[in-house]
């Protein structure tokens, strides 16, 4: 169910005609329905009732502060891929412990910001990132909880430009190397290995 519907030929968002919004703010504009976001978040999370699960909104999907804040109010965490997204998640009220920092190419400054903020988890994409995170974390006498992102070499048969789980894709650590990387992570200062991450 969503809360966008035509009534006598006019499109409404919840109980507001979009023509009224257009008259007040001009066009083009983006219109989001809080009721729709709440409904779909509840449907999704209720499907996992009784399961120990965390729900983190991918901020890269839509970094609108009102959208993030709506989900934060419902208990959602955030999955971020940059320092800017981390700052937006925090500004929207996401608790640092509910933030996961994913994505390739994290800079030293972004890792430091995330460590200083005490986010919940880093999804580590490469051995080089793991070493850098250990260095930055140890220098701060901090501990970074990490999941090793494994590239499972699975083809999801999706569009070429959004595929992330095949061996030729640039994301994650090749699965044959993952066990060794995970074991190495357990020996590094400033690192606590807590899981495995995968996308296809």
């Amino acid at each position: 169910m969503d809360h966008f519907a035509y009534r006598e030929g006019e499109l409404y968002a919840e109980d507001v005609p979009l023509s009224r919004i257009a008259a007040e703010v001009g066009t083009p504009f983006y219109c989001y329905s809080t009721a729709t976001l709440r409904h779909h978040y509840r449907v999704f999370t209720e499907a996992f009732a009784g399961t120990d699960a965390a729900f983190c909104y991918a901020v890269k999907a839509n970094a609108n502060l009102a959208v993030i804040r709506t989900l934060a109010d419902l208990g959602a965490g955030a999955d971020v891929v940059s320092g800017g997204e981390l700052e937006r998640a925090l500004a929207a009220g996401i608790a640092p412990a509910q933030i996961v920092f994913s994505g390739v190419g994290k800079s030293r400054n972004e890792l430091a910001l995330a460590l200083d903020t005490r986010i919940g988890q880093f999804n580590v994409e490469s051995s080089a990132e793991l070493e850098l995170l250990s260095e930055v974390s140890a220098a701060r006498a901090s501990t970074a909880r990490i999941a090793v992102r494994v590239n499972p070499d699975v083809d999801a048969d999706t569009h070429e430009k959004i595929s992330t789980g095949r061996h030729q894709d640039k994301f994650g650590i090749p699965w044959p190397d993952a066990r060794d990387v995970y074991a190495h992570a357990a020996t590094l200062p400033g690192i606590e290995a807590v899981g495995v991450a995968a996308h296809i």
Side-chain angles (χ1 to χ4, degrees):
M1 165 190 267
D2 66 41
H3 295 266
F4 292 91
Y6 282 96
R7 299 179 188 172
E8 298 180 2
E10 182 161 14
L11 183 59
Y12 279 68
E14 299 179 22
D15 291 319
V16 180
L18 291 189
S19 60
R20 183 194 311 165
I21 298 172
E24 290 181 17
V25 302
T27 61
F29 66 93
Y30 291 96
C31 178
Y32 305 105
S33 164
T34 299
T36 296
L37 289 170
R38 288 177 178 153
H39 170 76
H40 288 292
Y41 181 82
R42 289 190 180 110
V43 167
F44 186 78
T45 56
E46 287 169 6
F48 293 88
T51 304
D52 183 14
F55 302 93
C56 296
Y57 171 68
V59 174
K60 67 183 175 183
N62 184 334
N64 180 293
L65 284 174
V67 169
I68 304 168
R69 189 173 295 116
T70 296
L71 295 169
D73 290 345
L74 293 168
D79 181 274
V80 303
V81 296
S82 70
E85 287 186 7
L86 170 58
E87 290 175 344
R88 291 188 79 77
L90 293 169
I94 304 279
Q98 290 182 273
I99 296 175
V100 176
F101 199 159
S102 300
V104 297
K106 302 175 188 78
S107 71
R108 179 183 295 272
N109 287 343
E110 288 174 322
L111 295 175
L113 171 65
L115 285 163
D116 292 346
T117 304
R118 301 190 181 282
I119 67 161
Q121 180 177 301
F122 294 83
N123 287 348
V124 172
E125 295 271 349
S126 67
S127 295
E129 181 188 328
L130 177 61
E131 297 292 339
L132 177 60
L133 180 57
S134 172
E135 178 188 323
V136 175
S137 182
R140 287 174 151 62
S142 181
T143 300
R145 291 170 42 88
I146 69 146
V148 173
R149 179 170 178 183
V150 177
N151 183 314
D153 192 17
V154 171
D155 190 343
D157 291 325
T158 187
H159 191 281
E160 177 72 20
K161 299 297 184 185
I162 63 168
S163 184
T164 63
R166 303 167 305 173
H167 71 89
Q168 68 264 35
D169 297 324
K170 64 184 177 180
F171 304 101
I173 293 163
W175 71 263
D177 303 330
R179 188 183 302 269
D180 290 339
V181 171
Y182 199 92
H184 179 59
T187 72
L188 292 174
I191 298 294
E192 180 188 0
V194 299
V196 174
H199 298 252
I200 61 167

